[in-house]
DNA sequence: TTTTCATATTGCAATATTACGATATAGATT
DNA sequence: AATCTATATCGTAATATTGCAATATGAAAA
């Protein structure tokens, strides 16, 4: 079938998966890292940073934006993108939580 | 086309993306959370936990294993799965790093 | 050794993703 | 207004993913 059965999972699980999925492509990881490497937002030169065509980059930016990982502000005829701290904090918290949990129940097997 | 251009990204970026991609599906998030919710490893009842057919679950487990997020040990005629702390630590560190970084260069815009 | 049980693999249909050329849009510049 | 510049959208081809029925595998139990 090819369609994800979202209805059998919790809302939290679906949302977490969407966040992770948005970062599940090297171009989108590269975009996030680039946004991070420059102070503040980037208005314009994201396309030049990646060896991908402009529509492709635009599409990746859209996906990151839909997932809430980046924010875009219109600034003249360019658009100003930056990382949304909330999403990153969520991810940090998620993995931090798992990590702590694993530490506690340290190892009954494996 | 439809094929990811891995060659234009760093090894790190590709590896991070693969880890995130493996978690970019609610079934795989559910599996990880289930493994975490039970003490130690699970030998057998993962399939019963999810409302998905056995081959589907098997496939998701395989992807998590390939990505290094879970480990599987053969144990009799069952297989014993558990979370690989290394992968989780990597991701925790990754988002922790971004988070710290964002905190520092607190906000020139957006 | 035959059966049983748990998990993996195969094959396939439905759908999603990736990438990009062509084109549209919209604010800035002249 | 005409043009430039930056970004978005459309359409489409190549490929990947999701899910499952059918079947295979392989160890344990009978």
């Amino acid at each position: 079938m090819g369609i994800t059965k979202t209805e059998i999972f919790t809302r939290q699980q679906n949302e977490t998966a969407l966040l992770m999925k948005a970062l599940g492509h090297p171009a989108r990881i590269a975009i996030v890292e680039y946004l991070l490497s420059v102070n503040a937002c980037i208005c314009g030169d994201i396309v030049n940073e990646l060896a991908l065509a402009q529509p492709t980059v635009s599409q990746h930016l859209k996906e990151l934006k839909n997932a809430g990982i980046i924010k875009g502000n219109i600034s003249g005829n360019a658009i100003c993108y930056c990382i949304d701290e909330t999403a990153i904090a969520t991810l940090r918290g998620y993995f931090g939580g798992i990590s702590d949990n694993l530490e506690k129940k340290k190892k009954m097997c494996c």
Side-chain angles (χ1 to χ4, degrees), chain A residues 73-84:
Chain A
N73 297 56
I74 295 167
S75 150
N77 75 339
I79 290 199
C80 203
Y81 282 112
C82 64
I83 298 178
D84 188 330

Side-chain angles (χ1 to χ4, degrees), chain A residues 32-93:
Chain A
V32 167
E33 292 182 355
Y34 179 59
L35 284 177
L36 196 71
S37 77
V38 219
N39 251 329
C41 311
I42 290 308
C43 309
D45 51 357
I46 295 181
V47 172
N48 302 332
E49 271 303 302
L50 302 183
L52 289 170
Q54 179 266 324
T56 307
V57 175
S58 188
Q59 196 176 291
H60 283 304
L61 286 167
K62 189 177 172 187
E63 277 175 70
L64 285 170
K65 207 173 155 191
N66 283 344
I69 289 165
I70 64 175
K71 296 179 286 189
N73 297 56
I74 295 167
S75 150
N77 75 339
I79 290 199
C80 203
Y81 282 112
C82 64
I83 298 178
D84 188 330
E85 302 166 60
T86 314
I88 302 297
T90 301
L91 289 167
R92 170 189 219 169

Side-chain angles (χ1 to χ4, degrees), chain A residues 11-12 14-15 18-19 22 26 28 45 48 54 56 61 67 80 93 95-96 99 107:
Chain A
R11 193 164 56 79
Q12 264 246 350
N14 283 310
E15 281 172 11
L18 282 180
L19 262 188
R28 297 193 289 268
D45 51 357
N48 302 332
Q54 179 266 324
T56 307
L61 286 167
C80 203
F95 292 114
S99 207
K107 47 186 55 178

